[in-house]
Amino acid sequence: MESRPSLKPLHWVGSSKRDLLSLPGPVVDLFGFALYLAQDGKKHEQAKPLRGFGSAGVVEVVEDWDRSTFRAVYTVRFESAVFVLHVFQKKSKRGAATPKADIDLIRERLKAAEQIAKELQR
């Protein structure tokens, strides 16, 4: 029997956990499974790099449910953990672009995750 490497810990940045838990059950289940796969070093089929963040270290999962679109954004950029940066319902009706306010919040929380990751390495 081979031993499995342990899952990376999951860190919730800002209100991301509360925001996730406020979503409809089927969306929570899908995002939860996607985060579990990220902890295990794998990628959910609906996960893709978030545009505007350079490398594939910042990932988003998009789920359409009941005529609404929901997004979960996380980073696997740091060795120590998977950081959930933002979970939200997309409200903009103008195409698929992520609203600037959400992008700004993700950038802010990515900086916070970087600080936490540095502290975890000590």
Side-chain angles (χ1 to χ4, degrees):
M1 190 167 131
E2 64 180 280
S3 70
R4 290 183 37 81
S6 60
L7 296 175
K8 277 186 176 185
L10 200 56
H11 281 272
W12 302 90
V13 183
S15 62
S16 57
K17 186 171 190 176
R18 189 173 62 239
D19 296 340
L20 174 71
L21 295 176
S22 73
L23 301 182
V27 178
V28 172
D29 291 347
L30 183 123
F31 288 169
F33 183 58
L35 291 170
Y36 165 77
L37 290 175
Q39 288 178 276
D40 200 25
K42 298 181 177 85
K43 196 172 136 201
H44 191 277
E45 61 186 19
Q46 286 172 240
K48 62 187 196 307
L50 182 61
R51 290 164 71 164
F53 285 85
S55 75
V58 178
V59 182
E60 77 169 336
V61 180
V62 180
E63 175 66 347
D64 293 315
W65 192 82
D66 196 28
R67 297 189 312 277
S68 295
T69 299
F70 300 92
R71 295 181 178 201
V73 178
Y74 60 92
T75 184
V76 292
R77 189 178 284 178
F78 309 109
E79 197 60 43
S80 55
V82 173
F83 291 87
V84 185
L85 302 174
H86 192 26
V87 179
F88 61 106
Q89 179 176 353
K90 186 175 173 300
K91 293 188 170 69
S92 165
K93 298 296 175 230
R94 294 189 314 251
T98 303
K100 184 182 182 322
D102 290 304
I103 292 292
D104 291 346
L105 183 63
I106 292 163
R107 287 192 195 286
E108 196 179 294
R109 289 182 176 178
L110 184 60
K111 286 188 186 115
E114 207 167 336
Q115 287 304 117
I116 297 165
K118 281 181 187 159
E119 289 166 23
L120 290 173
Q121 286 179 329
R122 288 188 188 148

